[in-house]
Amino acid sequence: MKLKRKTIAKVIAAAFVFNLIVMGAGAWIAYQEAPPIPEQVVGPDGETLVTGEDIRDGKKAFQKNGLMNHGSILGNGAYYGADYTADSLELKTQHMRTYYAEERYGTEYESLSTAEQAAVDDDVKQDLSGEYEGGNIEYSAAELYAHQQVRQEYVERYHEGSHERGVPEGMIDSEADARQFADFAMWTAWFSHTDRPGGEHSYTNDWPYEPAAGNDATGAAMTWSVIAMVLLVAAAGGGIWLYQSISLPEPSASDLSVPEPGDVSIFPSQRAALRFIPVAAGLFLAQVLLGGLLAHFYIERAGFFGIEEIFGVHILQLLPFAMAKTWHIDLGILWIAATWLGAGLFLPPLLTGHEPKRQSTYIDILLGAIVVVTVGGLGGIWLGSHGYFGDLWWLIGNEGLEYLEVGKVWQVGLLLGFGLWAVLSVRGLKPLLDREPVFGLAHMILYAGGSIALLFTAGFFFTPETNIAVTEFWRWWVVHMWVEGAFEFFIVAIIGLTLVSMNLLSRRSAEKAVMLQALLVMSTGVIGVSHHYWWVGMPDMWVPIGSVFSTLELLPLVFILYEALGQYRAMSETGGFPYKLPFMFIIASGVWNFVGAGVLGFFINLPLINYYEHGTYLTVGHAHAAMFGAFGFLALGMVTYMLQLAIKPGRWDGSWLRAAFWCWNVGLALMVFVSVLPVGFLQLEAAFTGSYAAARSVAFYNQPLVQTLFWARLPGDTLIILGTAIYAADLIRKRFVLRASEDDPTVEDMAVAEGVMGDD
């Protein structure tokens, strides 16, 4: 079966419309079905305990003080601290038990007989059962007592500080803000145990697992997990059939003229694009150093190898976990994005032999703008969290949502940067854009980059006033649709461009392969975002939808891995292939994408597993393998290719980059498989046998075996840091052997441009 490019393009358009309809309807439902914020929470005598404004202000305190990068809410955020929903729900049940034990038996709960404890437990579950019928939330006397106790504990913990929990003093500035944060956390606990009107399960589908509150996995979680596994087998068979049925050309280095690096001239715009590399490398080095600190914080909650005893200052007070985690995440996004932007501006002259007027100047302006936004955004996060911006904290300071930490003004700056990049890409690719149809390869790279910017706009659909469930709905549009949609699309597009620039594939053949893989990514990854909606206050309709599409997300990742292996075969066909080192990175990207996003992603996204696993170290393993392994290695492979073309002929030395490559791969494997995943499986067992709150507790992390596994992460982290240091040093070394650019470049200066331009 042969598919024409035009046919695939039509199917992609249909898939785009289908995704738009499904997710657009989901957005409308999100607003309609979000857990209600009541006007008041009242006690049994009708006295007001909490107002709706207190809950909204508590969400503001949660974001302003970066608490999502210390712990998590509804399972989303950082895993160093408690999950505030599970923690407040557990504390609520404990204090309610205390209240009933004292009221009815005049003693502590632990001193009661088994029968008496069972009676108290039934009273607690009875208080927490039932559905919300509108109006004020009405507490029982036990709930009122529990809420007051949680308020006091959160003031002590998050305002006064708790170094054994890794909470610095003054993490929340005032007692009033800490009390309102407790009100917000207790509201999420309330809707996690309260049934939806007319429903059989709570707003969070009975998540988190807390037997004392009557929360347990629903039947739908089990049913759709089984269906997902059956669907996986069927999808695997379908994938094999698809590959056997569709005729797609594979890369081949035989009988083709693969241009040597010295045969390709360097244009001024490409020299300008190369300047993105050292900037990105600096961000990368800072990121991995912070990553090492974050890993160590799990061992010494307030110290770093005892230096606090020498200097008398806890590093936790100087650089709190939440701040280090915020910078760590943002630096990871920024260095990968900066590298991809540079690569996207470096490749067009290879394909077109075209150098627009003043292109290099505009690229320098873009790089300068990125530096300004980076410094402003990261600095604003620190200043905003320390109260320097007043009510403008979420605009120019720290918005406080994981992956969307920087203030809205800096997010606008990033969006404008993407827009400028798109304009410069159009300028560079114009000869191809003018000659090819709208589904051509040059158009694909613009669609991929444009989709990243388009999805980023979802981050502007909420403010600190917005209901947390709706906030999470839109936040995952940015985060997940980037990772499973736009980024994957960009991967296949950029690899397609690279294969064409190496003369391993014709442009027409690359277009067909990119379009098919883009179709699979779009058909699965976009709606697949819904697996993030199961436990965050969205309706249970997302369980079947998320199960099906999350399972199918594995299919395009298998295709990408197969493509990487095909590229490896092409590279091995001839011993004289000059770009083996860049290909090593691209192949590693495909392998880690399959392992991290595919295998680990499928496992943790099974509804029944995800119910207990949500927000544990298994997610950490999935995230690191997918983010750095897939997207990071692709970026580094593009850097290697760009450098190999830009270095003076005869002066190329890839030994340092090869050493860094193996440091990164071995280090990532050690970190994920020796430390992170074992901790995650222990957490999963703790959640199965106890409760979700127990799996996220300090007591769990302080167990000797878990602490040993945290120490076992040190070799892997060290290798990753060493590899990054070697990489940064090699860039400095190579800076002095770069080739001069052509003063007046023409298409004849590019060894591949004539073939590409004539491939119609």
Side-chain angles (χ1 to χ4, degrees):
M1 176 174 65
K2 289 190 176 183
L3 290 178
K4 296 182 178 180
R5 293 174 297 166
K6 190 173 182 179
T7 302
I8 303 176
K10 290 179 179 178
V11 180
I12 289 177
F16 175 78
V17 173
F18 176 70
N19 285 326
L20 189 64
I21 293 173
V22 172
M23 298 310 296
W28 181 82
I29 293 172
Y31 284 93
Q32 301 301 313
E33 300 294 330
I37 299 177
E39 290 188 14
Q40 296 181 99
V41 178
V42 299
D45 296 329
E47 70 275 23
T48 299
L49 177 67
V50 181
T51 66
E53 196 62 28
D54 289 331
I55 294 172
R56 294 183 182 90
D57 287 343
K59 179 174 181 279
K60 292 177 184 177
F62 161 73
Q63 291 182 224
K64 178 181 178 181
N65 294 285
L67 285 157
M68 197 175 195
N69 273 324
H70 183 272
S72 57
I73 196 79
L74 297 166
N76 294 322
Y79 312 141
Y80 178 66
D83 178 81
Y84 311 116
T85 303
D87 179 61
S88 56
L89 179 59
E90 181 184 56
L91 290 173
K92 184 175 183 178
T93 60
Q94 289 175 356
H95 289 304
M96 289 176 69
R97 284 171 169 174
T98 298
Y99 178 87
Y100 279 123
E102 289 288 345
E103 182 197 45
R104 299 192 178 175
Y105 302 103
T107 187
E108 296 179 351
Y109 175 81
E110 290 74 16
S111 301
L112 299 178
S113 67
T114 302
E116 290 170 336
Q117 286 185 349
V120 168
D121 291 346
D122 285 342
D123 287 336
V124 171
K125 290 181 181 178
Q126 185 65 33
D127 277 357
L128 301 182
S129 65
E131 66 183 47
Y132 178 63
E133 297 179 352
N136 295 332
I137 295 175
E138 298 180 0
Y139 272 173
S140 67
E143 287 180 287
L144 175 63
Y145 170 80
H147 192 116
Q148 292 169 334
Q149 296 303 308
V150 173
R151 269 183 174 174
Q152 181 178 339
E153 184 157 344
Y154 272 39
V155 168
E156 294 172 357
R157 187 190 300 178
Y158 297 109
H159 171 61
E160 298 174 9
S162 175
H163 280 191
E164 64 272 14
R165 290 181 172 274
V167 180
E169 297 172 11
M171 185 172 188
I172 297 180
D173 293 337
S174 68
E175 289 187 20
D177 284 351
R179 282 194 296 271
Q180 288 174 331
F181 169 56
D183 294 338
F184 168 66
M186 288 292 283
W187 170 68
T188 67
W190 170 81
F191 70 70
S192 75
H193 69 68
T194 301
D195 288 350
R196 287 181 179 275
E200 298 180 354
H201 308 297
S202 75
Y203 288 90
T204 59
N205 291 309
D206 288 350
W207 187 94
Y209 177 55
E210 181 54 69
N215 276 15
D216 203 345
T218 64
M222 170 65 81
T223 301
W224 285 100
S225 295
V226 174
I227 292 173
M229 288 187 285
V230 173
L231 185 62
L232 177 65
V233 177
I240 294 172
W241 172 82
L242 194 60
Y243 253 117
Q244 295 296 323
S245 302
I246 295 177
S247 176
L248 285 178
E250 292 192 19
S252 175
S254 59
D255 302 322
L256 286 174
S257 176
V258 179
E260 294 288 334
D263 296 337
V264 179
S265 296
I266 294 298
F267 288 8
S269 64
Q270 292 177 300
R271 282 297 300 266
L274 286 170
R275 298 186 188 107
F276 282 76
I277 296 175
V279 172
L283 300 177
F284 184 18
L285 184 59
Q287 188 215 5
V288 297
L289 290 173
L290 284 172
L293 173 64
L294 292 171
H296 191 76
F297 266 135
Y298 282 87
I299 301 168
E300 291 185 85
R301 288 257 156 183
F304 187 71
F305 294 103
I307 64 171
E308 72 280 358
E309 297 178 4
I310 300 174
F311 298 102
V313 178
H314 287 287
I315 192 171
L316 184 71
Q317 292 296 138
L318 298 175
L319 185 60
F321 183 94
M323 183 61 61
K325 174 73 163 26
T326 297
W327 283 343
H328 176 71
I329 290 175
D330 289 353
L331 287 168
I333 295 172
L334 287 167
W335 81 257
I336 292 174
T339 306
W340 282 6
L341 293 178
L345 296 171
F346 184 92
L347 288 174
L350 285 175
L351 305 175
T352 65
H354 174 61
E355 176 77 356
K357 291 182 179 179
R358 305 194 67 186
Q359 181 82 340
S360 60
T361 301
Y362 295 138
I363 291 176
D364 287 337
I365 292 173
L366 174 60
L367 179 58
I370 290 174
V371 170
V372 169
V373 170
T374 298
V375 174
L378 297 180
I381 287 170
W382 191 90
L383 292 169
S385 66
H386 285 76
Y388 286 97
F389 297 132
D391 293 338
L392 299 179
W393 57 271
W394 65 283
L395 293 174
I396 56 179
N398 173 35
E399 191 177 11
L401 296 170
E402 191 182 30
Y403 294 103
L404 295 175
E405 288 88 357
V406 297
K408 283 284 194 282
V409 169
W410 306 112
Q411 291 179 31
V412 170
L414 291 171
L415 194 59
L416 293 176
F418 273 115
L420 179 55
W421 175 84
V423 171
L424 296 178
S425 296
V426 169
R427 282 167 54 87
L429 292 167
K430 194 171 187 306
L432 265 181
L433 294 170
D434 290 342
R435 298 169 65 95
E436 69 180 17
V438 294
F439 47 79
L441 189 59
H443 284 79
M444 285 292 168
I445 194 67
L446 295 179
Y447 298 154
S451 64
I452 294 174
L454 180 63
L455 291 174
F456 192 53
T457 61
F460 296 92
F461 292 169
F462 53 82
T463 72
E465 296 277 348
T466 305
N467 188 304
I468 185 63
V470 176
T471 297
E472 283 298 278
F473 178 88
W474 289 118
R475 188 177 72 88
W476 282 115
W477 267 52
V478 179
V479 178
H480 181 98
M481 288 191 195
W482 266 4
V483 173
E484 300 294 349
F487 280 9
E488 298 288 357
F489 188 7
F490 195 89
I491 280 181
V492 297
I494 205 82
I495 290 176
L497 278 176
T498 305
L499 292 173
V500 171
S501 72
M502 292 178 178
N503 267 351
L504 293 179
L505 271 183
S506 70
R507 179 166 57 84
R508 293 166 61 89
S509 299
E511 286 169 356
K512 187 179 291 187
V514 168
M515 290 171 67
L516 179 61
Q517 293 183 28
L519 172 61
L520 293 172
V521 167
M522 183 175 295
S523 299
T524 60
V526 175
I527 299 179
V529 70
S530 55
H531 68 248
H532 292 288
Y533 300 152
W534 296 338
W535 327 124
V536 299
M538 293 289 101
D540 58 4
M541 69 175 206
W542 291 115
V543 175
I545 296 173
S547 300
V548 170
F549 284 92
S550 294
T551 300
L552 294 176
E553 284 176 9
L554 189 60
L555 189 58
L557 301 182
V558 172
F559 274 50
I560 292 172
L561 176 63
Y562 188 88
E563 183 82 7
L565 296 176
Q567 293 157 10
Y568 177 78
R569 286 194 296 270
M571 181 186 72
S572 303
E573 285 178 4
T574 172
F577 183 66
Y579 305 109
K580 289 186 177 181
L581 187 55
F583 255 80
M584 287 171 62
F585 282 96
I586 293 174
I587 293 164
S589 172
V591 172
W592 280 110
N593 201 10
F594 175 73
V595 172
V599 176
L600 296 179
F602 168 77
F603 169 69
I604 68 172
N605 287 333
L606 284 171
L608 189 61
I609 297 296
N610 191 244
Y611 178 82
Y612 299 96
E613 174 281 332
H614 181 47
T616 68
Y617 251 60
L618 290 174
T619 302
V620 175
H622 156 68
H624 281 78
M627 189 68 181
F628 177 50
F631 307 132
F633 273 113
L634 175 65
L636 294 166
M638 296 310 304
V639 167
T640 306
Y641 181 49
M642 292 161 66
L643 288 174
Q644 193 166 353
L645 293 176
I647 296 294
K648 294 177 182 177
R651 300 297 299 273
W652 169 252
D653 176 11
S655 60
W656 288 30
L657 283 173
R658 188 173 286 104
F661 172 85
W662 289 113
C663 283
W664 285 322
N665 274 280
V666 175
L668 183 59
L670 289 174
M671 181 185 75
V672 171
F673 296 110
V674 174
S675 175
V676 172
L677 288 183
V679 171
F681 282 113
L682 290 174
Q683 274 187 295
L684 187 61
E685 182 182 26
F688 278 147
T689 57
S691 68
Y692 179 77
R696 288 286 303 275
S697 66
V698 174
F700 170 83
Y701 287 134
N702 285 341
Q703 293 179 93
L705 177 57
V706 175
Q707 287 290 299
T708 299
L709 289 171
F710 283 147
W711 279 111
R713 181 171 169 173
L714 187 61
D717 284 357
T718 301
L719 281 173
I720 291 174
I721 293 171
L722 177 61
T724 309
I726 293 171
Y727 169 64
D730 192 42
L731 291 182
I732 296 173
R733 195 172 65 120
K734 285 181 166 55
R735 172 66 184 83
F736 300 101
V737 291
L738 293 176
R739 298 160 59 186
S741 60
E742 296 289 333
D743 292 331
D744 187 22
T746 64
V747 69
E748 288 79 14
D749 292 318
M750 285 298 171
V752 297
E754 285 188 280
V756 172
M757 295 296 291
D759 180 26
D760 290 324

